[in-house]
Amino acid sequence: MDHQAAGTRKDRGAVKADEVKVDLIAVVVAVNDSEPCVLTIGQADTLPSGPFALEHRSPQSGLRGWVEQQTGHPLGYIEQLYTFADRDRIGAARQQRVISISYLALTRKEQAAGSPKCGWQSWYEYFPWEDHRSGTPPVVLDVLRPRLIEWADGASDAATRRERRQRAAIAFGFDDRHWNEELTLQRYELVYEAGLVQEAGSRRDATPPPLVAGKFMVADHRRIVATSIARLRSKIKYRPVVFELMPPVFTLLQLQRTVEALSGRLINKPNFRRLIEQQELVEKTGETTAETGGRPAQLYRFRHAILDERPVAGTKLPLTRA
């Protein structure tokens, strides 16, 4: 009997060593002075997170609690982003499977107050190749392109060399292809696979990366942020989520600058204004502001009735092609 009990205790210990852990991770986004920012905690560049516990009513309520506890920032708009459960995730212990349920949260500038516990970082610090508002970033042509070509040509067979070159061309707009702002995750995964980001050095089969492109984040948090950027860049085209980032009243120029900040692309001003008005996404407040520096600008607010009138309503971006 005692021998059986000992065996049972041993089995339980084995299960514990190979346990599954569930984490909740938040990508909290705000646009501050035309810069899209993510909320980080601690001295390192870490996203707010915490374990999903038995006392949590739901993963979403658990996440809200962890974010407010760690940052002092209550969450408003939130949606589930993705579940990361790869066995070989960066930072995961060998004896433990870590499942991370990630969420995208949007907040307004006036609510994005700083705290000693946290800070706001421009997401372009982590992804410098994603901001094309002033044209193609030098890091794309001067650094990433030659390194990606070198990586592609280093493949052992011709088929892999062609496949790698094609992936790089599609993702980064090489060889006269157009830049697709929604391929953020594909671009990050490509530079990771090529060993051009610091996180690549964390792989068990990796050698130290020859190049560090963009600011480092712990574990695979930069991949999670890349996923959120891709989601948001796509979603603003068919749902009016951009207004979750806007103050209650705003000018059309402020709205345009926010959309440009998120997409990393310039927008044709007359076309943008015409499309916004045609889609009836906003309505005039009857007030003006002189804060723009020129003649008084009309103030607008989001027309919430659009959510009931049309199931699909986005900004239909008239992007300027570089």
Side-chain angles (χ1 to χ4, degrees):
M1 193 73 167
D2 290 341
H3 178 73
Q4 269 188 325
T8 302
R9 285 195 296 269
K10 184 177 179 182
D11 290 343
R12 286 174 181 169
V15 171
K16 188 174 181 180
D18 195 27
E19 66 183 0
V20 175
K21 178 185 176 185
V22 178
D23 278 343
L24 308 170
I25 301 181
V27 182
V28 186
V29 175
V31 176
N32 300 330
D33 299 323
S34 297
E35 281 300 313
C37 298
V38 293
L39 187 62
T40 60
I41 61 172
Q43 298 300 315
D45 289 89
T46 306
L47 297 173
S49 64
F52 181 41
L54 289 174
E55 63 266 22
H56 293 146
R57 181 173 52 84
S58 66
Q60 191 175 113
S61 66
L63 181 82
R64 290 181 183 275
W66 281 121
V67 172
E68 189 160 359
Q69 177 182 324
Q70 293 173 358
T71 70
H73 187 83
L75 294 182
Y77 176 92
I78 184 173
E79 66 175 72
Q80 187 169 335
L81 182 64
Y82 192 76
T83 299
F84 296 85
D86 300 3
R87 184 177 58 187
D88 297 323
R89 290 179 61 205
I90 305 171
R94 290 175 182 266
Q95 297 293 318
Q96 189 178 62
R97 171 66 65 89
V98 179
I99 297 175
S100 295
I101 305 174
S102 61
Y103 288 83
L104 172 63
L106 306 179
T107 191
R108 294 184 173 93
K109 178 180 177 182
E110 65 269 20
Q111 298 171 332
S115 164
K117 302 178 182 179
C118 61
W120 291 94
Q121 311 293 332
S122 169
W123 72 31
Y124 293 126
E125 292 184 21
Y126 305 110
F127 306 94
W129 54 84
E130 291 292 332
D131 189 0
H132 286 237
R133 288 175 291 178
S134 299
T136 303
V139 68
V140 173
L141 298 178
D142 299 342
V143 180
L144 291 178
R145 179 174 178 137
R147 292 301 184 100
L148 286 170
I149 291 174
E150 180 183 355
W151 166 72
D153 292 346
S156 59
D157 60 275
T160 303
R161 289 194 290 272
R162 285 195 301 271
E163 183 261 347
R164 287 182 175 183
R165 275 183 170 261
Q166 183 180 45
R167 286 172 58 201
I170 292 172
F172 284 92
F174 299 152
D175 303 331
D176 296 323
R177 297 174 184 262
H178 80 272
W179 172 266
N180 185 341
E181 65 278 354
E182 295 180 25
L183 299 182
T184 308
L185 180 59
Q186 288 90 327
R187 283 186 283 272
Y188 172 73
E189 290 185 335
L190 190 64
V191 296
Y192 175 84
E193 186 181 341
L196 304 180
V197 289
Q198 187 173 339
E199 297 94 298
S202 301
R203 294 180 306 189
R204 296 180 185 128
D205 62 343
T207 55
L211 165 75
V212 176
K215 197 175 179 182
F216 172 75
M217 296 190 84
V218 301
D220 58 354
H221 285 199
R222 188 150 50 150
R223 182 186 179 202
I224 295 172
V225 174
T227 305
S228 71
I229 296 173
R231 166 75 65 85
L232 193 51
R233 285 180 169 182
S234 172
K235 196 158 191 175
I236 59 175
K237 297 178 183 179
Y238 65 89
R239 294 296 296 168
V241 293
V242 66
F243 295 101
E244 299 290 343
L245 300 164
M246 300 299 298
V249 296
F250 48 83
T251 67
L252 290 184
L253 182 60
Q254 289 172 329
L255 178 60
Q256 178 181 333
R257 292 287 182 257
T258 299
V259 174
E260 288 176 336
L262 296 173
S263 63
R265 302 288 298 276
L266 292 181
I267 296 175
N268 182 281
K269 183 176 178 179
N271 289 347
F272 177 77
R273 295 187 174 220
R274 184 171 60 254
L275 284 171
I276 291 295
E277 292 174 350
Q278 286 177 351
Q279 295 170 62
E280 300 180 322
L281 293 172
V282 299
E283 58 188 7
K284 293 180 180 179
T285 66
E287 300 176 350
T288 61
T289 178
E291 293 181 5
T292 55
R295 62 182 183 180
Q298 287 278 353
L299 286 172
Y300 293 79
R301 58 175 164 253
F302 174 54
R303 199 172 69 84
H304 289 274
I306 196 72
L307 298 174
D308 299 322
E309 295 169 1
R310 295 208 304 270
V312 177
T315 46
K316 307 289 193 303
L317 309 183
L319 295 170
T320 299
R321 298 295 177 191

